[in-house]
Every structure is written in structure tokens, then in C-alpha cells.
Amino acid sequence: MTTQTILPVNHEALAAFSKSSGEPAWVTEIRSKALELAAGLELPKLEKTRLDRWTLDNYGKLRQGAQTSEELPESLSSLIDINEHSNLIVQRNSGVVFTKLSPELTAQGVIFTDLETAVREHEDLVKKHLFTAIPAEENQLTALHAALWNGGVFLYVPKNVEVEIPLQAVFLIDDAGSSFTPHVLIVADSNSRVTYVDNYISGDLNEAIVHNGAAEVFVKAGSKVQFASVHHLAGQITDLTYRRAVVENDGSIEWIIGEMNAGDAMSETLSVLKGNGSTSDAKVIAVGSGSQKLNLTTKAVHFGKSSDSQMITRAVMREESTAIINGITKIEKGATKANGEQTEKVLMLSPKARGDANPILLIDEDDVTAGHAASVGQVNAEQIYYLMSRGISRAQAERLIIYGFLAPVVSDIPLEQLQNQLQGLVERKLGQ
């Protein structure tokens, strides 16, 4: 069954954009085929969520982004610290406006640049990986993303290189008329180490717009990648994000995700544990407020023997917000000795707030271990009473319990500025 879709751009305009951006023919072909797919594919079917009822009709206009080191907006000053050792990419609306990589990492062969530059200058690395973890044909959103992506990040870490300092990207949207569809592509070669941190923020917008973003992470044998991301987009922005890692033998991916948007948001954070001994550790927190609708999925698929996945998702809902929190562990036939553990917890601060935690185990192999835990409820009255009996006010007691509830993720953010920002966002969203 197909569905009639009004596309945000036609084939002629897309081809003209690709040509004006100086993209190789293979990139133009990917865009064209993806746009054709989008016309016939359906939206993803989410648990207890009708995406077709969300505001999805404004993707902005495709505009070629200037590759310049312009003066950065004042709104970024608290998030970044630029010095000679900085490793930073800033995208503003459709294009990257600032790129910096330290000479030390450049000398080691690390590549950290915008994806639009990478498809031209590093074709051999990019072409082999781009849209293979998140294929365009998966659904209408992935097809539109593959057709419309702009800016974005390409990070490559060579074999045996260990990067000690986190590499950071900031994605800023302050113009609802511009397309905002960044793609992050990370390739960590064998026995390498890297931490990547990004932040999605927005300025004042005068109309609704869709952010349709994606991140693909390839963790080669023996490598370790830490991926931290905080989304703090305004209420006019519908945030749709796919994150996916493919992990080979003895590789490791760690996800640290803060979903702090003010508008409706859907995300999927998936680890494909392809290799033997591969591991995934995913920590996700979300705070819902107003009339927000959230649908957040954390997932691990085990193919490798002795692979291990851990998931923690915690959401705090207030006012009239609603959240569907999905945890999915899939252990395929042949993934002997695999282990998958997951926990989903939702804390509701208002009688009108709603949370739904859905732990799912799909096991096709006998010789494995797996477990799950889920809970949905109000702040524990006994904990409040205990703290108040120690001379703490009710308001402060509730605040301490909430911060303790979210602490497993906040404390793991690997960049001090981002950790402070996330703590501030939690306080702001909780009306504190």
C-alpha cells in the first residue's frame, strides 16, 4: 500500500541544489532516488502515536550554507570554549559556519569536518558508510532525510588513535524558512577511542518547522565511541531523530541522550551489535512539559556472540505532557551468551500528565540472559516524608528526588559546559 505525499521539494529543485553545492554525481543520485522513495513510503508506525497528526508540513527551503568562520551567535557562548585545542563544528540553519580541529589531531589523521565537504574530499570513506545504517528505503522520514540532508558532521578516527578531548558540534536553527536536516556520520576505525558531543538549540522562530535528523556511527573492531547529545529545540519545532550504531567485534558504543525539547519529539536510538563481544550502553532522559507529545525508543539488536546491551531511560512528565517510552532488546538466533538488560521509568508530576513504559524482549536464542524493569508513577510519598522529617521543605524534597531520578544520565555527560546546560534545562523545564 502506498500513500499520497506532498513532497517539500521537487526533483528539479533538488538536482539544482546538489549541482550548486558541487556535490559528486553519486550524492545527487542518492538524493534523487530517496525523494522518489519518499513519494510512496509511509510514515513509521509508532507505538500508540499517530505521526500523521503531528505538524510535519514545513521542512523550510533548501539553501546552500556558507562555509565561513563568521562570528558566532552570542547564544552559543555558554556552550563552547574556543581555544587552540578546540575541536568544534557549528551549523546554523542550512549550513556549517564554523569548523576547527586542533593541529595535534590533524597530525594523527583525524578528520572532523562538515559532511558536505567530506563527500567531496573523503569520498572513499564516506560513500562506503553513508545511509547504510539508516537506509533511505526504511520509511518516509528516512527517505526525506536522505533527500534533503544539509550541513552535518563527518568524523573519522584512524586505527589505534585515541582522542582524549571530546569533539563537539552545535546545531542552531533560528530561521524557520531554512531547511534544517543535519546528518552526523562517525567512523571509528579499529582499536580507536573517541568522544563526540552535540547540542541542538534554537532561536526565536515565527512559524513551525520540522527537524528531521540522523546519526550513523560505525564502531570497528576493538573501538570505543561515546556519543552524547542534548536536544533543546523550541516548541515550534517538531523533532524527528534516528540514531544508529553498528558495532563490530569487541567494539563499544555508549549513548548519553538528553531529550529536552519544548515541542513534539520522536527519537530512536539503536545499537546493532554485529560483532562477537560487542557492547552497548544507552542512557536517555527526557522532561516533558505543556502539551508535549514524546515517543522515545531505545533498542539493541544482538547478532554477535557474548554481546551485551544495557539501557536506562528515565522521563519526568509535568502539566499535560504525554510520553511513550519503548525499550526493545532483540537477540537473534546464533547470538549465544548474549546479555540484554533494560530499565524504563516514568515519573509523573501532574494528574494530567501521562507516561507509558513499554519494555520488550524478543529472544530467538536459548543460551542467553535478558531482563527488564519498568515503572510509571508519582513521586514517592514515603521518600518525601522521610526528607521532610530531616528538616527539608516539601518543594526541596521533590526537587532532590527528581534530580536523583535523572542523575544517572546527567552526571555522565562528558563535557562540563554541556552538563551544566543540561542541569539548567532540567530545572527550567520543571519550573524551578
Coordinates of all heavy atoms in Angstrom, one line a residue, residues 43-123:
L43 N 4.7 6.9 6.7 CA 5.4 7.3 7.9 C 5.6 6.1 8.8 O 4.8 5.1 8.7 CB 4.5 8.3 8.7 CG 4.4 9.7 8.1 CD1 3.3 10.5 8.7 CD2 5.7 10.5 8.2
P44 N 6.6 6.1 9.6 CA 6.8 5.0 10.5 C 5.6 4.8 11.5 O 5.0 5.7 11.9 CB 8.1 5.3 11.3 CG 8.2 6.8 11.2 CD 7.6 7.2 9.9
K45 N 5.3 3.5 11.8 CA 4.2 3.2 12.7 C 4.8 3.1 14.1 O 5.5 2.1 14.4 CB 3.5 1.9 12.3 CG 2.7 2.1 11.0 CD 2.0 0.8 10.5 CE 1.1 1.0 9.4 NZ 1.7 1.7 8.2
L46 N 4.5 4.1 14.9 CA 5.0 4.1 16.3 C 4.0 3.6 17.3 O 2.8 3.7 17.1 CB 5.4 5.5 16.7 CG 6.3 6.2 15.7 CD1 6.6 7.7 16.2 CD2 7.7 5.5 15.6
E47 N 4.5 3.1 18.4 CA 3.6 2.6 19.5 C 2.8 3.7 20.0 O 3.3 4.7 20.6 CB 4.5 2.0 20.6 CG 3.8 1.4 21.7 CD 3.2 0.0 21.4 OE1 3.7 -0.6 20.4 OE2 2.3 -0.4 22.1
K48 N 1.4 3.5 19.9 CA 0.5 4.5 20.5 C 0.7 5.9 20.1 O 0.3 6.8 20.8 CB 0.5 4.3 22.0 CG 0.1 2.9 22.5 CD 0.1 2.8 24.0 CE -0.2 1.4 24.5 NZ -0.1 1.3 25.9
T49 N 1.2 6.2 18.9 CA 1.5 7.5 18.4 C 1.1 7.6 17.0 O 1.6 6.8 16.2 CB 2.9 7.9 18.6 OG1 3.3 7.9 20.0 CG2 3.2 9.3 18.1
R50 N 0.3 8.6 16.6 CA -0.1 8.9 15.2 C 0.7 10.1 14.7 O 0.4 11.2 14.9 CB -1.6 9.2 15.2 CG -2.5 8.0 15.4 CD -2.6 7.1 14.2 NE -3.1 7.8 13.0 CZ -4.4 8.0 12.7 NH1 -5.3 7.5 13.5 NH2 -4.7 8.7 11.6
L51 N 1.8 9.7 14.0 CA 2.7 10.8 13.5 C 2.0 11.7 12.5 O 2.3 12.8 12.3 CB 3.9 10.2 12.8 CG 5.2 10.0 13.7 CD1 6.3 9.5 12.9 CD2 5.6 11.3 14.4
D52 N 1.0 11.1 11.8 CA 0.3 11.9 10.7 C -0.5 13.0 11.4 O -1.0 13.9 10.6 CB -0.6 10.9 9.9 CG -1.6 10.2 10.7 OD1 -1.3 9.9 11.9 OD2 -2.7 9.8 10.2
R53 N -0.7 13.0 12.7 CA -1.4 14.1 13.3 C -0.5 15.2 13.9 O -0.9 16.1 14.5 CB -2.2 13.5 14.5 CG -3.4 12.6 14.0 CD -4.1 12.0 15.2 NE -5.2 11.1 14.7 CZ -6.0 10.4 15.5 NH1 -5.8 10.5 16.8 NH2 -7.0 9.7 15.0
W54 N 0.8 14.9 13.7 CA 1.8 15.9 14.1 C 2.0 17.0 13.0 O 1.6 16.8 11.8 CB 3.1 15.3 14.4 CG 3.1 14.5 15.7 CD1 2.0 13.9 16.3 CD2 4.3 14.0 16.4 NE1 2.4 13.2 17.4 CE2 3.8 13.3 17.5 CE3 5.6 14.3 16.3 CZ2 4.7 12.7 18.5 CZ3 6.5 13.7 17.2 CH2 6.0 12.9 18.3
T55 N 2.6 18.1 13.3 CA 2.9 19.1 12.3 C 4.2 18.8 11.6 O 5.3 19.0 12.1 CB 3.1 20.5 13.0 OG1 1.9 20.8 13.8 CG2 3.3 21.6 12.0
L56 N 4.0 18.3 10.3 CA 5.1 17.8 9.6 C 5.2 18.4 8.2 O 5.8 17.8 7.3 CB 5.0 16.2 9.4 CG 4.9 15.4 10.7 CD1 4.7 13.9 10.4 CD2 6.2 15.6 11.5
D57 N 4.5 19.5 8.0 CA 4.4 20.0 6.6 C 5.4 21.1 6.2 O 5.3 21.7 5.1 CB 2.9 20.5 6.3 CG 2.5 21.5 7.4 OD1 3.3 21.8 8.3 OD2 1.4 22.1 7.2
N58 N 6.3 21.5 7.1 CA 7.2 22.6 6.8 C 8.7 22.1 7.0 O 9.1 22.0 8.1 CB 6.9 23.9 7.6 CG 7.9 25.0 7.2 OD1 8.5 25.0 6.1 ND2 8.1 25.9 8.1
Y59 N 9.4 21.9 5.9 CA 10.8 21.5 6.0 C 11.7 22.7 5.7 O 12.9 22.5 5.6 CB 11.1 20.4 5.0 CG 10.9 19.0 5.6 CD1 9.6 18.4 5.8 CD2 12.0 18.2 6.0 CE1 9.4 17.2 6.3 CE2 11.8 16.9 6.6 CZ 10.5 16.4 6.7 OH 10.3 15.2 7.3
G60 N 11.1 23.9 5.5 CA 11.9 25.0 5.1 C 12.4 24.9 3.6 O 12.1 23.9 2.9
K61 N 13.2 25.8 3.2 CA 13.7 25.8 1.8 C 15.2 25.4 1.8 O 15.9 25.8 2.7 CB 13.5 27.2 1.2 CG 12.1 27.6 1.0 CD 12.0 28.9 0.2 CE 10.5 29.3 0.1 NZ 9.7 28.4 -0.6
L62 N 15.5 24.6 0.8 CA 16.9 24.2 0.6 C 17.8 25.4 0.3 O 17.5 26.1 -0.7 CB 17.1 23.2 -0.5 CG 16.7 21.7 -0.1 CD1 16.7 20.9 -1.4 CD2 17.6 21.2 0.9
R63 N 18.8 25.7 1.1 CA 19.6 26.8 0.8 C 21.1 26.4 1.0 O 21.4 25.6 2.0 CB 19.3 28.0 1.8 CG 18.0 28.6 1.6 CD 17.7 29.6 2.6 NE 16.3 30.2 2.5 CZ 15.7 31.0 3.3 NH1 16.3 31.3 4.4 NH2 14.5 31.4 3.1
Q64 N 21.9 26.8 0.1 CA 23.3 26.5 0.3 C 23.9 27.2 1.4 O 23.9 28.4 1.5 CB 24.1 26.8 -1.0 CG 25.5 26.2 -1.1 CD 26.1 26.4 -2.5 OE1 25.4 26.7 -3.4 NE2 27.4 26.1 -2.6
G65 N 24.5 26.5 2.4 CA 25.1 27.1 3.6 C 26.5 27.6 3.3 O 27.3 27.0 2.6
A66 N 26.8 28.8 3.8 CA 28.1 29.4 3.7 C 29.1 28.7 4.6 O 28.9 28.5 5.8 CB 28.1 30.9 4.0
Q67 N 30.3 28.3 4.0 CA 31.3 27.6 4.8 C 32.3 28.7 5.2 O 33.4 28.9 4.7 CB 32.1 26.6 3.9 CG 31.1 25.6 3.2 CD 30.6 24.6 4.1 OE1 31.3 24.1 5.0 NE2 29.4 24.2 3.9
T68 N 31.9 29.4 6.2 CA 32.7 30.6 6.7 C 32.9 30.5 8.2 O 32.2 29.8 8.9 CB 32.0 31.9 6.4 OG1 30.7 31.9 7.1 CG2 31.8 32.1 4.9
S69 N 33.9 31.2 8.6 CA 34.2 31.3 10.1 C 33.6 32.6 10.6 O 34.4 33.5 11.0 CB 35.7 31.2 10.4 OG 36.2 29.9 10.0
E70 N 32.3 32.8 10.4 CA 31.7 34.0 10.8 C 31.7 34.1 12.4 O 31.9 33.1 13.1 CB 30.3 34.1 10.3 CG 29.4 33.1 10.8 CD 27.9 33.4 10.4 OE1 27.7 33.7 9.2 OE2 27.0 33.2 11.2
E71 N 31.4 35.3 12.9 CA 31.3 35.5 14.3 C 30.1 34.7 14.8 O 29.0 34.8 14.3 CB 31.1 37.0 14.6 CG 31.1 37.3 16.1 CD 31.0 38.8 16.4 OE1 31.2 39.6 15.5 OE2 30.7 39.1 17.6
L72 N 30.4 33.9 15.9 CA 29.3 33.0 16.3 C 28.3 33.8 17.2 O 28.6 34.7 17.9 CB 30.0 31.9 17.2 CG 30.9 31.0 16.4 CD1 31.5 29.9 17.3 CD2 30.2 30.3 15.2
P73 N 27.0 33.3 17.1 CA 26.0 34.0 17.9 C 26.3 34.0 19.4 O 26.9 33.0 19.9 CB 24.7 33.1 17.5 CG 25.1 32.4 16.3 CD 26.5 32.2 16.3
E74 N 25.8 35.0 20.0 CA 26.0 35.1 21.5 C 25.4 34.0 22.2 O 25.9 33.6 23.3 CB 25.4 36.5 22.0 CG 25.6 36.8 23.4 CD 27.1 37.0 23.7 OE1 27.8 37.4 22.8 OE2 27.5 36.7 24.9
S75 N 24.3 33.4 21.7 CA 23.6 32.3 22.4 C 24.5 31.0 22.5 O 24.2 30.1 23.3 CB 22.4 31.9 21.6 OG 22.7 31.5 20.2
L76 N 25.6 31.0 21.8 CA 26.5 29.8 21.9 C 27.6 30.0 22.9 O 28.3 29.0 23.2 CB 27.1 29.5 20.6 CG 26.2 29.3 19.4 CD1 27.0 28.9 18.2 CD2 25.1 28.2 19.7
S77 N 27.7 31.2 23.5 CA 28.9 31.4 24.3 C 29.0 30.5 25.6 O 30.1 30.2 26.0 CB 28.9 32.9 24.8 OG 27.7 33.2 25.5
S78 N 27.8 30.2 26.1 CA 27.8 29.3 27.3 C 28.0 27.8 27.0 O 28.3 27.0 27.9 CB 26.5 29.5 28.1 OG 25.4 29.0 27.3
L79 N 28.0 27.5 25.7 CA 28.1 26.1 25.3 C 29.5 25.7 24.8 O 29.8 24.5 24.8 CB 27.1 25.7 24.2 CG 25.6 25.9 24.6 CD1 24.8 25.6 23.4 CD2 25.2 25.0 25.8
I80 N 30.3 26.7 24.4 CA 31.5 26.4 23.7 C 32.7 27.2 24.3 O 32.4 28.3 24.9 CB 31.5 26.6 22.2 CG1 31.1 28.0 21.9 CG2 30.5 25.6 21.6 CD1 31.0 28.3 20.4
D81 N 33.9 26.7 24.3 CA 35.1 27.4 24.7 C 36.1 27.2 23.7 O 36.8 26.2 23.5 CB 35.5 26.8 26.1 CG 36.8 27.5 26.6 OD1 37.1 28.6 26.2 OD2 37.5 26.8 27.4
I82 N 36.3 28.3 22.8 CA 37.2 28.2 21.7 C 38.6 28.6 22.1 O 38.8 29.7 22.6 CB 36.7 29.1 20.6 CG1 35.3 28.7 20.1 CG2 37.7 29.0 19.4 CD1 34.7 29.5 19.0
N83 N 39.5 27.6 21.9 CA 40.9 27.9 22.1 C 41.7 27.1 21.1 O 41.2 26.5 20.2 CB 41.3 27.5 23.6 CG 41.0 26.1 23.9 OD1 41.5 25.2 23.3 ND2 40.2 25.9 24.9
E84 N 43.1 27.1 21.2 CA 43.9 26.5 20.2 C 43.7 25.0 20.2 O 44.1 24.3 19.2 CB 45.4 26.8 20.5 CG 45.9 26.3 21.8 CD 47.4 26.7 22.0 OE1 48.1 26.7 21.0 OE2 47.8 26.9 23.1
H85 N 43.2 24.4 21.2 CA 43.0 22.9 21.3 C 41.5 22.5 21.0 O 41.1 21.4 21.1 CB 43.4 22.4 22.6 CG 44.8 22.6 22.9 ND1 45.9 22.0 22.2 CD2 45.4 23.4 23.9 CE1 47.0 22.4 22.7 NE2 46.8 23.3 23.7
S86 N 40.7 23.5 20.6 CA 39.3 23.2 20.4 C 39.0 22.3 19.1 O 39.8 22.4 18.2 CB 38.5 24.5 20.2 OG 38.5 25.3 21.3
N87 N 38.0 21.5 19.2 CA 37.6 20.7 18.1 C 36.1 20.9 18.0 O 35.3 20.3 18.8 CB 37.9 19.2 18.4 CG 39.4 19.0 18.7 OD1 40.2 19.2 17.8 ND2 39.7 18.7 19.9
L88 N 35.6 21.8 17.1 CA 34.3 22.3 17.1 C 33.7 22.5 15.7 O 34.5 23.0 14.8 CB 34.2 23.6 17.9 CG 32.9 24.4 17.9 CD1 31.8 23.6 18.6 CD2 33.1 25.8 18.5
I89 N 32.5 22.1 15.5 CA 31.7 22.4 14.3 C 30.4 23.1 14.7 O 29.7 22.6 15.6 CB 31.5 21.2 13.4 CG1 32.8 20.7 12.8 CG2 30.4 21.4 12.3 CD1 32.6 19.4 12.0
V90 N 30.1 24.2 14.0 CA 28.8 24.9 14.3 C 28.0 25.0 13.0 O 28.5 25.5 12.0 CB 29.0 26.3 14.9 CG1 27.7 27.0 15.1 CG2 29.8 26.2 16.2
Q91 N 26.8 24.4 13.0 CA 25.9 24.6 11.9 C 24.8 25.6 12.3 O 24.2 25.4 13.3 CB 25.3 23.3 11.5 CG 24.2 23.4 10.3 CD 23.8 22.1 9.8 OE1 24.5 21.1 9.8 NE2 22.6 22.1 9.1
R92 N 24.5 26.5 11.4 CA 23.5 27.5 11.7 C 22.5 27.4 10.5 O 22.8 27.6 9.4 CB 24.0 28.9 11.8 CG 22.9 29.9 12.2 CD 23.6 31.3 12.4 NE 22.6 32.2 13.0 CZ 22.9 33.5 13.4 NH1 24.2 33.9 13.2 NH2 22.0 34.2 14.0
N93 N 21.3 26.9 10.8 CA 20.2 26.7 9.8 C 20.7 25.7 8.8 O 21.1 24.6 9.1 CB 19.8 28.0 9.2 CG 19.2 28.9 10.3 OD1 18.4 28.5 11.1 ND2 19.7 30.2 10.3
S94 N 20.9 26.1 7.5 CA 21.2 25.1 6.4 C 22.6 24.7 6.3 O 22.9 23.7 5.7 CB 20.7 25.6 5.1 OG 19.3 25.8 5.1
G95 N 23.5 25.5 6.8 CA 24.9 25.2 6.5 C 25.9 25.4 7.7 O 25.5 26.1 8.7
V96 N 27.0 24.8 7.6 CA 28.1 24.9 8.6 C 28.8 26.3 8.5 O 29.2 26.7 7.4 CB 29.1 23.8 8.5 CG1 30.3 24.0 9.4 CG2 28.4 22.5 8.8
V97 N 28.9 27.0 9.6 CA 29.5 28.3 9.6 C 30.8 28.4 10.4 O 31.5 29.4 10.3 CB 28.5 29.4 10.2 CG1 27.3 29.5 9.3 CG2 28.2 29.1 11.6
F98 N 31.2 27.3 11.1 CA 32.5 27.3 11.8 C 33.0 25.9 11.9 O 32.2 25.0 12.3 CB 32.2 27.9 13.2 CG 33.5 28.1 14.0 CD1 34.2 29.3 14.0 CD2 34.0 27.1 14.8 CE1 35.4 29.4 14.7 CE2 35.1 27.2 15.6 CZ 35.8 28.4 15.5
T99 N 34.3 25.7 11.6 CA 34.9 24.4 11.8 C 36.3 24.6 12.3 O 37.1 25.5 11.8 CB 35.0 23.7 10.4 OG1 33.7 23.6 9.8 CG2 35.6 22.3 10.6
K100 N 36.7 23.8 13.4 CA 38.0 23.9 13.9 C 38.4 22.6 14.4 O 37.7 21.9 15.1 CB 38.0 24.9 15.1 CG 39.4 25.1 15.7 CD 39.5 26.3 16.7 CE 40.8 26.4 17.4 NZ 41.9 26.6 16.5
L101 N 39.6 22.1 14.1 CA 40.2 20.9 14.5 C 41.6 21.2 15.0 O 42.4 21.8 14.2 CB 40.2 19.8 13.4 CG 40.8 18.5 13.8 CD1 40.0 17.8 14.9 CD2 40.9 17.6 12.6
S102 N 42.0 20.7 16.1 CA 43.4 21.0 16.7 C 44.5 20.4 15.8 O 44.3 19.4 15.2 CB 43.5 20.5 18.1 OG 43.5 19.1 18.1
P103 N 45.6 21.1 15.7 CA 46.7 20.6 14.9 C 47.2 19.2 15.3 O 47.6 18.4 14.5 CB 47.8 21.7 15.1 CG 47.1 22.9 15.5 CD 45.9 22.4 16.3
E104 N 47.1 18.9 16.6 CA 47.5 17.6 17.1 C 46.7 16.5 16.5 O 47.2 15.5 16.1 CB 47.4 17.6 18.6 CG 48.3 18.6 19.4 CD 47.7 19.9 19.6 OE1 46.6 20.2 18.9 OE2 48.1 20.7 20.5
L105 N 45.4 16.7 16.5 CA 44.5 15.6 15.9 C 44.6 15.6 14.4 O 44.6 14.5 13.8 CB 43.1 15.9 16.3 CG 42.7 15.7 17.8 CD1 41.2 15.9 18.1 CD2 43.2 14.4 18.3
T106 N 44.8 16.7 13.8 CA 45.1 16.7 12.3 C 46.3 15.9 12.0 O 46.3 15.1 11.0 CB 45.2 18.1 11.8 OG1 44.0 18.9 12.1 CG2 45.4 18.1 10.3
A107 N 47.3 16.0 12.8 CA 48.6 15.3 12.5 C 48.4 13.8 12.7 O 49.1 13.0 12.1 CB 49.7 15.8 13.5
Q108 N 47.5 13.4 13.6 CA 47.2 12.0 13.8 C 46.3 11.4 12.7 O 46.0 10.2 12.8 CB 46.6 11.8 15.2 CG 47.5 12.1 16.3 CD 46.9 11.9 17.7 OE1 46.1 12.7 18.1 NE2 47.2 10.8 18.3
G109 N 45.8 12.2 11.8 CA 44.9 11.7 10.7 C 43.5 11.7 11.0 O 42.7 11.2 10.3
V110 N 43.1 12.4 12.1 CA 41.7 12.5 12.5 C 41.0 13.5 11.5 O 41.6 14.6 11.1 CB 41.5 13.0 13.9 CG1 40.0 13.3 14.2 CG2 42.0 12.0 14.9
I111 N 39.8 13.2 11.0 CA 39.1 14.0 10.1 C 37.8 14.5 10.8 O 37.1 13.6 11.4 CB 38.7 13.3 8.8 CG1 39.9 12.8 8.1 CG2 37.8 14.2 7.9 CD1 39.6 11.9 6.9
F112 N 37.6 15.8 10.9 CA 36.4 16.3 11.6 C 36.0 17.5 10.8 O 36.6 18.6 10.9 CB 36.8 16.7 13.0 CG 35.6 17.1 13.9 CD1 34.5 16.3 13.9 CD2 35.6 18.3 14.6 CE1 33.4 16.7 14.7 CE2 34.5 18.6 15.4 CZ 33.4 17.8 15.5
T113 N 35.0 17.4 10.0 CA 34.6 18.4 9.0 C 33.1 18.3 8.8 O 32.4 17.3 9.3 CB 35.4 18.3 7.7 OG1 35.0 19.4 6.9 CG2 35.0 17.0 7.0
D114 N 32.5 19.2 8.1 CA 31.1 19.1 7.7 C 31.0 18.0 6.6 O 31.9 17.8 5.8 CB 30.6 20.5 7.2 CG 31.2 20.9 5.9 OD1 32.3 21.5 6.0 OD2 30.7 20.7 4.9
L115 N 29.8 17.4 6.6 CA 29.6 16.3 5.7 C 29.5 16.7 4.3 O 30.0 16.0 3.4 CB 28.2 15.6 6.1 CG 27.9 14.3 5.3 CD1 29.0 13.3 5.5 CD2 26.6 13.7 5.8
E116 N 29.1 18.0 4.0 CA 29.1 18.4 2.6 C 30.5 18.5 2.0 O 30.7 18.3 0.8 CB 28.4 19.8 2.5 CG 26.9 19.7 2.8 CD 26.2 21.1 2.9 OE1 26.9 22.1 3.1 OE2 25.0 21.1 2.7
T117 N 31.5 18.9 2.8 CA 32.9 18.9 2.4 C 33.4 17.5 2.3 O 34.1 17.1 1.3 CB 33.7 19.7 3.4 OG1 33.3 21.1 3.4 CG2 35.2 19.6 3.0
A118 N 33.0 16.6 3.2 CA 33.5 15.3 3.3 C 33.1 14.5 2.0 O 33.9 13.6 1.6 CB 33.0 14.6 4.5
V119 N 31.9 14.7 1.5 CA 31.5 13.8 0.3 C 32.4 14.2 -0.9 O 32.5 13.3 -1.8 CB 30.0 14.0 0.0 CG1 29.1 13.5 1.1 CG2 29.7 15.5 -0.4
R120 N 33.0 15.4 -0.9 CA 33.9 15.7 -2.0 C 35.3 15.3 -1.7 O 36.0 14.8 -2.6 CB 33.8 17.3 -2.2 CG 32.4 17.8 -2.7 CD 32.5 19.2 -3.1 NE 33.0 20.1 -2.0 CZ 32.2 20.7 -1.2 NH1 30.9 20.6 -1.3 NH2 32.7 21.5 -0.2
E121 N 35.8 15.5 -0.5 CA 37.2 15.4 -0.2 C 37.6 14.0 0.4 O 38.7 13.7 0.4 CB 37.6 16.5 0.8 CG 37.5 17.9 0.2 CD 38.0 19.0 1.1 OE1 38.5 18.6 2.2 OE2 37.9 20.2 0.7
H122 N 36.6 13.3 0.9 CA 36.8 12.0 1.5 C 35.8 10.9 1.0 O 35.3 10.2 1.8 CB 36.8 12.1 3.0 CG 37.7 13.2 3.6 ND1 39.0 13.1 3.7 CD2 37.4 14.4 4.1 CE1 39.6 14.2 4.2 NE2 38.6 15.0 4.4
E123 N 35.7 10.9 -0.3 CA 34.6 10.1 -0.9 C 34.8 8.6 -0.5 O 33.8 7.9 -0.3 CB 34.7 10.2 -2.4 CG 33.6 9.4 -3.1 CD 33.6 9.6 -4.6 OE1 33.9 10.8 -5.1 OE2 33.3 8.7 -5.4

